[in-house]
Amino acid sequence: MIVRHLNASDLGKTVTLPTLAALGRCRSGTLHSITLETATDTSTLRIGDHLHSVPNNATVYVTTEVSGL
């Protein structure tokens, strides 16, 4: 998924930012908030206890929990 497509339904899900993982930074955790910064074409994501400013065209993986299988 692309960061600009994240929305309220993704809050509380586990997300992974592969670009940050390659840099050895906080790469995965629960998404708590999304703040779109239109002036800079970035979004600020609160993942776990960390804030990350990422380009809106960056890739993010959203893990969907499936139960009952």
Side-chain angles (χ1 to χ4, degrees):
M1 173 181 283
I2 303 298
V3 169
R4 75 174 32 101
H5 298 288
L6 290 171
N7 59 53
S9 68
D10 298 311
L11 296 176
K13 293 182 180 177
T14 300
V15 296
T16 303
L17 294 166
T19 303
L20 292 179
L23 297 174
R25 297 176 61 193
C26 173
R27 65 190 184 280
S28 183
T30 302
L31 180 64
H32 294 289
S33 66
I34 308 161
T35 305
L36 180 64
E37 308 290 345
T38 55
T40 58
D41 198 29
T42 62
S43 289
T44 301
L45 308 178
R46 178 181 280 291
I47 301 172
D49 294 336
H50 301 98
L51 289 176
H52 299 283
S53 181
V54 295
N56 284 330
N57 63 349
T59 299
V60 62
Y61 300 121
V62 180
T63 303
T64 302
E65 300 291 327
V66 178
S67 63
L69 294 179

